Amino acid sequence: MRPRLLALSGPLKESIIPLPKGDVTIGRDASNGIAVIDPSVSRKHCLVSWHEGRYQVRDLESRNGTVVNGAVVQEHWLRHGDHVSTGDSSFLFLLEDEDTPEPAGRVEFDDSVFTSETKIIHPRDVVYLQPERLSRELTASPQVARNLNALLKISRIVHAIRDLDELRGQLLELIFEVVPANRGAILLADREGQQFNSVFARMRSAGQPALVKVSRTVASQVLEQGIAILASDVASSNQLNKVESLVASQVLSLLCVPLTLFKRVIGCIYLDADSLDQRLREEHLELVAAIAGISAVALENARRLQWLEEENERLTVEITQERSLVGEGTRMKEVYQFLKRVAPTDSTVLIEGESGTGKELAARALHRNSPRANKPFVAINCAAIPETLLESDLFGHERGAFTGAGSQKKGRLEIADGGVVFLDEIGELAPALQVKLLRVLQEREFERVGGTDSIKIDIRLIAATNRKLEQAVREGAFRQDLYYRLAVLKITMPTLRDRRDDIPMLVRHFVQKHAKRCKVKPRPISREALSCLVNYDWPGNVRELENAIERALVLGSSDMILPEDLPESLLERTPPPEMTEAKYHVAIKELKKQLILDAVEQTQGSYAEAARLLGVHPNYLHRLIRNLELKESLKDALRDVSARGLTGLSGGNA
């Protein structure tokens, strides 16, 4: 028994990690036994421990949960072949040796030069690719007939394999059946055809991985000129017998043929032999050149498929990270626990919270971790679509239902069948649509606009609002029966000012995200700037913080994010005691305070008149008063004005 984890995805992809007979933690922090530098993984994500001859995985209250074989678990006894996922990283738990993936082997290039002792042919001159010559050779040479049968077999097999490494391994094994080579390599070039960026090597003996030494000069010549090269007597060659790599490997003969696709060389096949009895000869060169001709398409298709799958995985991870909740404070841990318990169910969920707190991110997390994860997630903003269009958008319409309805259209509810419908700003839904939505929740059916046939749907509904729906119900602005249907499970997303301990983590996350998106260098944030961020109240919550970080990255001119790179509203707050504020910002702040005090005194306490006098909007004046903490100072100033007025009045009467 050799217990280990094979990383299938994430930063440690393709790594094999031995497991000790003890405890080992997996998490983002460097102190873990298995450190996974991935924002979707918690600092201490899960524990893998050894108990009485078995391994157990236990979740450590991670924010995204620990998933084994597709199910979220708290504790799970591991068996050979179990898939363990932590965030966007996944591992395969292995005990038995035979399941360890076979490495692809290595290729090492040297700079040996092949000249006149080599045989060079062009693939178009290969007998197997010329029908006229082939018909004559078939009657004259039984060997040609046997080779043709081998080519047909290879063609049938290689075009049925989609995985690139499996295809290259199978192709080399088939070549070894008909060519007396001991080592082989398949080298694929980059899109520009200038260098090899994908190599695969094997030895004849049972597919054993190998270190195959390839002449860089020969490979480059084959790649650039599209010719096939054979060296059938390395030992007697004046140039080749001085090449240390060939001497060390006891290479006696070798060949290299191009892989050509639509007149473009995409790589080459390299073979060498160390047997005196079985040298590589011209007939082998022609046969391998023919094999390359019929397998180039399969290799290129497999490579493109691999690239598409990797790109899809990369984009999926990128989107998931971009749409993931970030934070490890107490309030966010409560959110993660709620999402973990609720995600596997089909219950309707109502997410409340201020704008910018991540309500849609929470809804997407519920979808991503539910049995409906592979089904559609359809988001609808009820406040962004006019009432006259929202009904058709939700339920669809029949042809001729209204002017302009020239064809039948499916609504978003119908499109989301089997998946999740997310209704954002549900509090803005018109009363008439509230009635229709109530029926959908009760019956899971509806009719298109202008239609009479009922359409059954299987959806999970998640709604979100920044309004207090209970108060809206009391005021008669929202149906009570619909509210109770929506609030089967309810959660309130915490504001950013209630989770200030998450701000440093959010800042790091947004710096990495927007540095990549805006094509700028990620920059650390200064202690003073971070103090400004933590000290601010964030009325726009996480969305406002994200905008502030993007602004600082784009407009900042130093190697760090400094206070002056942040929006002005953040600098208007009184700094924390540990922060030394720049004289410039102090002077600007004091000037603003004095201007506001003078204007309010001059207008005798009328904020609207004071705003007009200053030339700003009243809402902006109120924000300045709040940020500059001027409420008490203004009260004192107005009391002084009132007292001076009373004193002047009594003096006049005297």
Side-chain angles (χ1 to χ4, degrees):
M1 183 176 74
R2 189 161 63 90
R4 61 210 181 279
L5 291 175
L6 168 63
L8 301 176
S9 63
L12 301 179
K13 184 178 179 180
E14 297 182 359
S15 300
I16 298 176
I17 306 159
L19 291 175
K21 289 188 177 179
D23 294 346
V24 60
T25 57
I26 300 176
R28 192 177 69 249
D29 196 90
S31 62
N32 290 281
I34 302 175
V36 184
I37 311 304
D38 183 343
S40 67
V41 176
S42 298
R43 285 196 179 95
K44 296 284 185 182
H45 200 104
C46 64
L47 172 72
V48 179
S49 54
W50 168 266
H51 292 293
E52 300 176 356
R54 300 172 66 191
Y55 280 92
Q56 182 188 64
V57 62
R58 179 163 59 87
D59 186 71
L60 299 178
E61 297 185 357
S62 63
R63 67 177 185 274
N64 287 331
T66 300
V67 179
V68 178
N69 299 330
V72 179
V73 300
Q74 188 60 41
E75 292 182 352
H76 182 84
W77 290 103
L78 291 172
R79 294 178 296 180
H80 177 74
D82 279 350
H83 285 76
V84 181
S85 297
T86 55
D88 297 320
S89 296
S90 62
F91 304 88
L92 183 65
F93 176 71
L94 298 173
L95 287 172
E96 302 168 12
D97 290 338
E98 61 269 22
D99 286 287
T100 302
E102 193 175 79
R106 294 184 296 124
V107 168
E108 181 177 291
F109 291 95
D110 60 46
D111 295 314
S112 55
V113 180
F114 295 3
T115 55
S116 58
E117 281 87 358
T118 62
K119 170 71 176 178
I120 297 176
I121 65 170
H122 197 282
R124 64 171 174 265
D125 298 326
V126 174
V127 64
Y128 301 103
L129 303 180
Q130 300 179 65
E132 297 81 4
R133 284 186 60 193
L134 183 58
S135 60
R136 293 195 300 269
E137 295 287 345
L138 278 172
T139 58
S141 172
Q143 181 63 40
V144 172
R146 286 195 295 270
N147 288 344
L148 186 58
N149 284 330
L151 288 172
L152 291 172
K153 175 184 176 182
I154 290 172
S155 177
R156 177 177 54 82
I157 293 176
V158 299
H159 285 91
I161 300 174
R162 299 175 61 188
D163 181 77
L164 180 60
D165 283 347
E166 182 185 353
L167 173 58
R168 289 191 286 193
Q170 185 68 50
L171 184 56
L172 285 175
E173 288 182 13
L174 292 169
I175 291 174
F176 290 148
E177 290 181 6
V178 293
V179 177
N182 296 99
R183 284 172 294 271
I186 297 178
L187 317 173
L188 297 179
D190 57 19
R191 291 182 180 272
E192 290 74 28
Q194 297 178 350
Q195 60 183 355
F196 298 105
N197 64 351
S198 178
V199 299
F200 187 98
R202 278 286 184 269
M203 289 184 69
R204 171 184 289 275
S205 52
Q208 179 182 348
L211 171 61
V212 176
K213 308 226 176 190
V214 176
S215 165
R216 192 187 308 276
T217 305
V218 168
S220 298
Q221 187 178 356
V222 170
L223 188 62
E224 292 169 7
Q225 301 179 17
I227 55 175
I229 295 177
L230 168 70
S232 59
D233 194 356
V234 172
S236 63
S237 168
N238 293 332
Q239 286 83 17
L240 303 184
N241 60 18
K242 296 182 178 64
V243 179
E244 292 183 5
S245 60
L246 297 179
V247 174
S249 302
Q250 297 181 329
V251 173
L252 298 179
S253 56
L254 57 85
L255 63 81
C256 189
V257 301
L259 291 159
T260 306
L261 183 66
F262 303 121
K263 298 182 179 180
R264 180 173 66 91
V265 181
I266 64 170
C268 62
I269 298 177
Y270 169 87
L271 300 169
D272 67 35
D274 56 13
S275 171
L276 289 170
D277 300 329
Q278 300 289 338
R279 292 179 185 272
L280 299 178
R281 303 185 187 280
E282 187 172 345
E283 60 265 26
H284 301 131
L285 181 66
E286 291 214 359
L287 177 58
V288 178
I291 292 173
I294 64 176
S295 58
V297 173
L299 286 166
E300 180 66 4
N301 287 342
R303 179 165 64 166
R304 286 178 178 271
L305 180 61
Q306 182 186 66
W307 180 85
L308 288 172
E309 289 174 344
E310 289 174 352
E311 183 70 2
N312 181 60
E313 182 179 337
R314 184 189 67 79
L315 291 173
T316 301
V317 169
E318 188 174 301
I319 292 170
T320 301
Q321 289 176 355
E322 188 171 315
R323 295 179 173 179
S324 293
L325 293 165
V326 176
E328 291 186 350
T330 304
R331 296 295 303 274
M332 288 307 295
K333 284 184 178 179
E334 293 173 359
V335 172
Y336 298 141
Q337 286 294 329
F338 175 86
L339 297 178
K340 185 191 297 186
R341 295 178 63 183
V342 169
T345 72
D346 270 344
S347 299
T348 303
V349 181
L350 177 62
I351 306 173
E352 295 183 328
E354 295 181 7
S355 293
T357 51
K359 298 186 291 293
E360 183 171 347
L361 294 182
R364 290 185 180 277
L366 284 172
H367 172 247
R368 193 166 56 246
N369 294 284
S370 74
R372 298 175 182 263
N374 295 324
K375 298 296 184 178
F377 178 92
V378 178
I380 304 165
N381 190 318
C382 300
I385 304 174
E387 180 184 346
T388 53
L389 300 178
L390 185 57
E391 182 177 7
S392 174
D393 195 58
L394 279 174
F395 303 107
H397 61 253
E398 298 290 350
R399 180 179 180 181
F402 49 82
T403 303
S407 61
Q408 184 192 79
K409 175 194 169 184
K410 288 185 177 181
R412 297 208 195 183
L413 293 177
E414 194 172 350
I415 292 171
D417 189 30
V420 171
V421 173
F422 173 62
L423 294 179
D424 198 8
E425 304 300 346
I426 189 71
E428 307 301 322
L429 200 63
L433 290 179
Q434 291 180 29
V435 176
K436 294 194 173 185
L437 181 60
L438 179 62
R439 187 196 168 198
V440 172
L441 288 173
Q442 290 174 334
E443 309 295 338
R444 290 297 194 268
E445 66 179 26
F446 63 92
E447 292 92 29
R448 297 192 188 103
V449 176
T452 56
D453 295 333
S454 292
I455 299 171
K456 291 280 188 181
I457 53 170
D458 171 26
I459 61 168
R460 182 182 191 179
L461 188 72
I462 302 175
T465 180
N466 60 7
R467 296 178 59 186
K468 296 290 185 182
L469 283 191
E470 289 184 353
Q471 182 178 346
V473 169
R474 289 194 295 270
E475 295 171 353
F478 199 83
R479 291 183 64 94
Q480 185 179 48
D481 48 4
L482 177 58
Y483 169 74
Y484 288 126
R485 282 285 181 180
L486 293 172
V488 176
L489 297 168
K490 186 170 73 168
I491 185 174
T492 300
M493 297 297 293
T495 61
L496 189 54
R497 58 185 171 274
D498 292 331
R499 44 182 288 234
R500 296 179 190 271
D501 50 345
D502 286 332
I503 289 178
M505 178 183 289
L506 285 163
V507 168
R508 290 193 296 271
H509 173 73
F510 291 138
V511 164
Q512 294 297 325
K513 172 183 173 182
H514 290 291
K516 183 177 181 180
R517 192 173 69 85
C518 299
K519 296 180 175 58
V520 297
K521 182 181 178 182
R523 289 183 286 143
I525 187 165
S526 67
R527 183 178 60 85
E528 293 78 13
L530 186 59
S531 294
C532 289
L533 296 174
V534 174
N535 193 50
Y536 186 57
D537 278 343
W538 299 109
N541 293 293
V542 178
R543 188 180 293 122
E544 185 182 3
L545 172 63
E546 181 174 3
N547 293 340
I549 297 302
E550 182 177 1
R551 176 186 187 276
L553 282 172
V554 174
L555 297 181
S557 56
S558 65
D559 292 334
M560 298 184 74
I561 296 176
L562 302 174
E564 50 263 37
D565 299 328
L566 301 174
E568 187 179 356
S569 57
L570 274 72
L571 305 178
E572 293 167 351
R573 295 297 301 254
T574 302
E578 69 273 8
M579 176 181 167
T580 302
E581 196 171 13
K583 290 182 179 179
Y584 170 79
H585 298 304
V586 172
I588 293 294
K589 197 180 297 183
E590 290 303 319
L591 178 60
K592 286 182 180 179
K593 287 182 179 180
Q594 194 58 52
L595 285 171
I596 293 170
L597 285 170
D598 291 346
V600 173
E601 283 186 13
Q602 189 174 340
T603 58
Q604 297 185 357
S606 172
Y607 286 178
E609 287 297 315
R612 187 183 59 79
L613 190 64
L614 292 169
V616 299
H617 194 279
N619 290 345
Y620 180 68
L621 177 61
H622 281 285
R623 197 207 76 186
L624 285 172
I625 292 171
R626 182 175 64 253
N627 287 346
L628 295 170
E629 299 178 353
L630 280 175
K631 286 187 178 180
E632 294 301 321
S633 298
L634 287 171
K635 287 180 182 178
D636 293 341
L638 291 173
R639 277 197 295 268
D640 290 343
V641 170
S642 178
R644 286 198 300 271
L646 289 173
T647 302
L649 182 61
S650 63
N653 288 338

